[in-house]
Amino acid sequence: MKKNYFYQISMKKIETPTKNNPYHSMWIIAFFDLPTLTKEDRRNYREFRKQLLKWGFLQLQLSVYGKYMGDEKRGERIKTFIKSYIPEKGEVRFLTITDIQFGKMEVYYEKKRKKPEEKQDQLLLF
Protein backbone atom coordinates (compact mmCIF):
# COMPACT_ATOMS: atom_id res chain seq x y z
CA MET A 1 0.00 0.00 0.00
CA LYS A 2 1.42 3.35 -1.06
CA LYS A 3 1.28 6.20 1.45
CA ASN A 4 0.67 9.75 0.32
CA TYR A 5 2.63 12.47 2.05
CA PHE A 6 1.53 16.07 1.70
CA TYR A 7 3.83 19.06 2.02
CA GLN A 8 2.54 22.39 3.29
CA ILE A 9 4.27 25.24 1.51
CA SER A 10 4.84 28.60 3.10
CA MET A 11 7.43 31.29 2.56
CA LYS A 12 9.17 30.28 5.78
CA LYS A 13 9.31 26.51 5.85
CA ILE A 14 7.97 23.19 4.63
CA GLU A 15 6.38 20.75 6.98
CA THR A 16 8.05 17.44 6.14
CA PRO A 17 6.40 14.03 6.38
CA THR A 18 6.58 12.26 9.71
CA LYS A 19 8.86 9.60 8.23
CA ASN A 20 11.71 12.17 8.43
CA ASN A 21 12.24 11.85 12.15
CA PRO A 22 15.34 13.21 13.93
CA TYR A 23 17.04 9.82 13.71
CA HIS A 24 16.79 9.84 9.90
CA SER A 25 17.36 13.56 9.35
CA MET A 26 21.02 14.27 8.75
CA TRP A 27 23.59 17.06 8.93
CA ILE A 28 26.60 17.10 6.66
CA ILE A 29 29.68 18.83 8.06
CA ALA A 30 32.49 19.98 5.74
CA PHE A 31 35.92 20.59 7.26
CA PHE A 32 38.63 22.06 5.09
CA ASP A 33 42.21 23.18 5.35
CA LEU A 34 43.21 24.92 2.12
CA PRO A 35 46.42 26.86 1.43
CA THR A 36 46.26 30.62 0.83
CA LEU A 37 49.91 31.32 -0.04
CA THR A 38 49.53 32.27 -3.69
CA LYS A 39 46.95 34.28 -5.59
CA GLU A 40 45.69 31.07 -7.22
CA ASP A 41 45.40 29.35 -3.80
CA ARG A 42 43.31 32.23 -2.47
CA ARG A 43 41.08 32.16 -5.54
CA ASN A 44 40.56 28.39 -5.13
CA TYR A 45 39.77 28.88 -1.42
CA ARG A 46 37.18 31.58 -2.19
CA GLU A 47 35.58 29.50 -4.95
CA PHE A 48 35.28 26.43 -2.71
CA ARG A 49 33.81 28.49 0.15
CA LYS A 50 31.43 30.23 -2.28
CA GLN A 51 30.12 26.86 -3.49
CA LEU A 52 29.47 25.71 0.09
CA LEU A 53 27.45 28.87 0.73
CA LYS A 54 25.64 28.49 -2.60
CA TRP A 55 24.53 24.98 -1.61
CA GLY A 56 23.17 26.29 1.71
CA PHE A 57 25.96 25.45 4.13
CA LEU A 58 26.23 27.57 7.31
CA GLN A 59 29.60 28.59 8.71
CA LEU A 60 29.97 26.88 12.09
CA GLN A 61 33.61 27.90 12.65
CA LEU A 62 36.52 28.98 10.49
CA SER A 63 36.79 26.36 7.74
CA VAL A 64 33.93 24.30 9.22
CA TYR A 65 30.55 24.45 7.48
CA GLY A 66 27.36 22.48 8.08
CA LYS A 67 24.11 21.84 6.25
CA TYR A 68 20.90 20.17 7.42
CA MET A 69 19.65 17.42 5.14
CA GLY A 70 16.24 15.79 5.18
CA ASP A 71 17.93 12.45 4.63
CA GLU A 72 21.29 10.91 3.75
CA LYS A 73 20.51 10.52 0.02
CA ARG A 74 20.16 14.30 -0.38
CA GLY A 75 23.47 14.73 1.40
CA GLU A 76 25.20 12.35 -0.98
CA ARG A 77 23.89 14.26 -4.01
CA ILE A 78 25.09 17.60 -2.64
CA LYS A 79 28.47 16.10 -1.69
CA THR A 80 28.86 14.96 -5.30
CA PHE A 81 28.47 18.55 -6.54
CA ILE A 82 30.72 20.02 -3.84
CA LYS A 83 33.48 17.47 -4.55
CA SER A 84 33.83 18.85 -8.06
CA TYR A 85 35.05 22.16 -6.51
CA ILE A 86 37.70 20.67 -4.20
CA PRO A 87 41.01 22.35 -5.12
CA GLU A 88 44.14 20.43 -6.11
CA LYS A 89 45.94 21.44 -2.89
CA GLY A 90 44.73 21.13 0.68
CA GLU A 91 42.45 18.78 2.58
CA VAL A 92 38.65 18.52 2.73
CA ARG A 93 36.64 16.17 4.95
CA PHE A 94 32.91 15.44 5.10
CA LEU A 95 31.13 14.03 8.13
CA THR A 96 27.46 12.99 8.17
CA ILE A 97 25.66 12.84 11.51
CA THR A 98 22.04 12.56 12.61
CA ASP A 99 20.02 15.57 13.71
CA ILE A 100 19.91 14.09 17.24
CA GLN A 101 23.72 13.87 17.36
CA PHE A 102 24.06 17.43 16.04
CA GLY A 103 21.65 18.66 18.72
CA LYS A 104 23.84 17.10 21.43
CA MET A 105 26.81 19.23 20.37
CA GLU A 106 28.14 21.45 23.14
CA VAL A 107 29.00 24.95 21.93
CA TYR A 108 30.84 27.50 24.06
CA TYR A 109 31.55 31.09 23.18
CA GLU A 110 33.61 33.17 25.61
CA LYS A 111 33.15 30.49 28.29
CA LYS A 112 29.35 30.68 27.98
CA ARG A 113 27.36 27.80 26.60
CA LYS A 114 25.12 28.49 23.64
CA LYS A 115 22.77 26.36 21.57
CA PRO A 116 23.95 24.69 18.35
CA GLU A 117 22.62 26.07 15.08
CA GLU A 118 18.99 25.39 14.24
CA LYS A 119 17.82 23.49 11.18
CA GLN A 120 17.57 25.70 8.14
CA ASP A 121 14.09 26.37 6.83
CA GLN A 122 13.71 24.83 3.40
CA LEU A 123 11.60 26.33 0.66
CA LEU A 124 10.25 24.09 -2.06
CA LEU A 125 9.50 25.66 -5.42
CA PHE A 126 7.85 23.87 -8.23
Side-chain angles (χ1 to χ4, degrees):
M1 186 168 129
K2 195 174 189 179
K3 291 184 180 180
N4 290 326
Y5 293 100
F6 297 97
Y7 293 86
Q8 292 180 331
I9 300 174
S10 73
M11 289 308 287
K12 290 193 175 183
K13 69 178 185 176
I14 296 174
E15 298 297 326
T16 55
T18 56
K19 72 175 189 174
N20 282 340
N21 70 43
Y23 293 98
H24 294 131
S25 299
M26 307 297 287
W27 281 82
I28 181 169
I29 312 293
F31 307 86
F32 60 93
D33 209 1
L34 302 176
T36 55
L37 299 174
T38 67
K39 203 173 202 177
E40 183 182 357
D41 289 344
R42 288 188 293 276
R43 186 181 67 235
N44 290 337
Y45 173 90
R46 283 191 308 270
E47 181 61 28
F48 183 70
R49 183 180 179 278
K50 186 171 99 177
Q51 289 303 317
L52 289 174
L53 295 172
K54 176 184 172 186
W55 284 97
F57 282 74
L58 300 171
Q59 185 175 15
L60 303 176
Q61 287 189 326
L62 291 175
S63 301
V64 179
Y65 288 72
K67 178 169 176 53
Y68 173 76
M69 301 287 147
D71 58 45
E72 197 168 3
K73 287 181 184 177
R74 285 186 210 155
E76 290 302 319
R77 285 193 299 260
I78 288 179
K79 264 198 296 189
T80 300
F81 290 112
I82 298 294
K83 285 178 187 177
S84 67
Y85 289 94
I86 294 176
E88 296 279 329
K89 300 176 186 174
E91 181 177 6
V92 177
R93 296 174 186 228
F94 293 103
L95 175 66
T96 306
I97 59 174
T98 67
D99 190 35
I100 294 291
Q101 291 168 323
F102 187 86
K104 290 181 179 180
M105 181 178 5
E106 292 185 20
V107 181
Y108 294 89
Y109 181 73
E110 297 177 351
K111 292 193 174 191
K112 293 180 184 171
R113 185 156 186 195
K114 68 179 214 178
K115 290 183 179 182
E117 287 73 6
E118 294 290 325
K119 294 183 223 180
Q120 301 155 304
D121 291 334
Q122 297 182 13
L123 179 62
L124 180 62
L125 302 173
F126 352 178

